[in-house]
Amino acid sequence: MKYADYIKEIEIDSLWHEGGTEGKGRSQGEKHIRWQLDPSVNILSGVNGDGKSTILRRTIMGVRRVSDVGGDGIRIATVPEDAEYVRYNWIATPDVRSEYDTNLLTLVERYETVMHDEVRQTLLFDIIDNLFSATHKTVDRSKKEFAMLFWGEPLDLTVLSSGEKQMLTILLAVYLENDEHYVLFMDEPEVSLHVEWQKVLISTILKLNPNVQIILSTHSPAMIMDGWMDKVTEVSEIAS
């Protein structure tokens, strides 16, 4: 199996038509999307209802069958060009609060089943301790399983705030890819995060895995304040 290092271009024949438009033409209001991507960071912005989330979801449909010729109206160009598969993760703001627990605890279970590189594990723990220091929460480094402490006492992860659970979910998802090349899709990840965490989110992800390609949608100016302005693409710039 040959995996892609990153996605270099996304083309969607008709954003609002699930089956493509080959031989049909596009109806008024449908959008043709062509987006050339940066190997590292890609930030999609635009007004509410302009299709940001739909672009991400349609792209994921394409990467699930990247070796297909695009009969569904979605074409994914990769590096290398002959890649058959794309490793990816998808993180979106949960619709209900219980999904924060489900998402986090699923990754905690995965964490317990993998072999850990000590250097990367220490990096993960240091990042978490730094982010959570203001609320006196730390990783319990004495445990084999992933666990946290509050003022030095064991902490039930389900009592964390929604933003804390979202941040841990993102960090564990990135960490568990073990420095592999892969694509991280995130749809408005800032919704539950404090503005200071929004500002450092992208740089923190890249610190944990420099081989990840980030493709995200956002409404938050804070997400681009840490030097990512030149990575922003407006939906209007890639739609015709």
Side-chain angles (χ1 to χ4, degrees):
M1 294 187 293
K2 192 165 188 177
Y3 286 91
D5 290 343
Y6 62 91
I7 299 172
K8 68 177 181 180
E9 186 178 77
I10 298 164
E11 186 171 12
I12 304 172
D13 284 339
S14 180
L15 186 58
W16 310 116
H17 187 85
E18 293 292 330
T21 58
E22 293 181 5
K24 303 175 184 177
R26 291 198 300 277
S27 302
Q28 185 176 3
E30 292 182 339
K31 296 179 180 179
H32 174 259
I33 301 297
R34 190 163 191 171
W35 188 12
Q36 294 184 342
L37 299 178
D38 182 88
S40 183
V41 177
N42 303 272
I43 302 169
L44 191 60
S45 183
V47 300
N48 286 328
D50 64 355
K52 295 184 300 299
S53 297
T54 305
I55 290 170
L56 295 190
R57 287 183 167 85
R58 295 293 303 280
T59 300
I60 290 171
M61 289 173 58
V63 300
R64 285 174 179 165
R65 46 187 183 277
V66 68
S67 57
D68 197 346
V69 294
D72 55 5
I74 307 167
R75 286 173 290 281
I76 306 295
T78 63
V79 173
E81 294 183 356
D82 58 347
E84 300 172 281
Y85 301 95
V86 177
R87 292 186 182 90
Y88 72 94
N89 277 324
W90 163 248
I91 294 176
T93 302
D95 294 325
V96 295
R97 291 184 65 86
S98 61
E99 290 183 24
Y100 284 102
D101 290 332
T102 301
N103 295 344
L104 175 56
L105 296 179
T106 297
L107 288 166
V108 167
E109 290 178 1
R110 279 187 57 199
Y111 175 92
E112 296 172 6
T113 66
V114 302
M115 296 289 292
H116 297 282
D117 174 83
E118 185 175 349
V119 174
R120 292 193 68 250
Q121 187 181 53
T122 299
L123 175 61
L124 171 68
F125 291 170
D126 288 347
I127 287 172
I128 294 172
D129 285 353
N130 181 61
L131 289 171
F132 284 72
S133 61
T135 56
H136 309 287
K137 300 181 183 78
T138 57
V139 177
D140 187 349
R141 303 189 188 211
S142 69
K143 301 279 190 180
K144 288 186 177 181
E145 66 273 17
F146 183 84
M148 295 192 70
L149 303 169
F150 177 54
W151 287 102
E153 296 296 324
L155 176 67
D156 183 348
L157 295 180
T158 63
V159 305
L160 294 171
S161 71
S162 297
E164 290 173 321
K165 292 172 185 174
Q166 179 81 333
M167 178 59 84
L168 286 178
T169 295
I170 293 169
L171 294 178
L172 285 173
V174 173
Y175 170 78
L176 289 170
E177 292 299 332
N178 198 30
D179 275 347
E180 297 280 4
H181 287 279
Y182 86 105
V183 184
L184 177 63
F185 294 95
M186 295 189 290
D187 188 15
E188 299 183 13
E190 74 274 6
V191 171
S192 299
L193 301 182
H194 184 275
V195 65
E196 292 301 320
W197 281 7
Q198 294 179 32
K199 287 164 60 175
V200 301
L201 180 61
I202 293 173
S203 58
T204 300
I205 290 170
L206 292 174
K207 183 177 181 180
L208 191 54
N209 182 355
N211 293 319
V212 65
Q213 181 185 35
I214 299 170
I215 302 176
L216 67 85
S217 69
T218 185
H219 287 292
S220 171
M223 291 288 292
I224 62 175
M225 289 175 64
D226 198 25
W228 306 110
M229 178 68 75
D230 64 337
K231 305 299 184 182
V232 177
T233 299
E234 296 288 334
V235 173
S236 59
E237 296 174 1
I238 59 174
S240 60

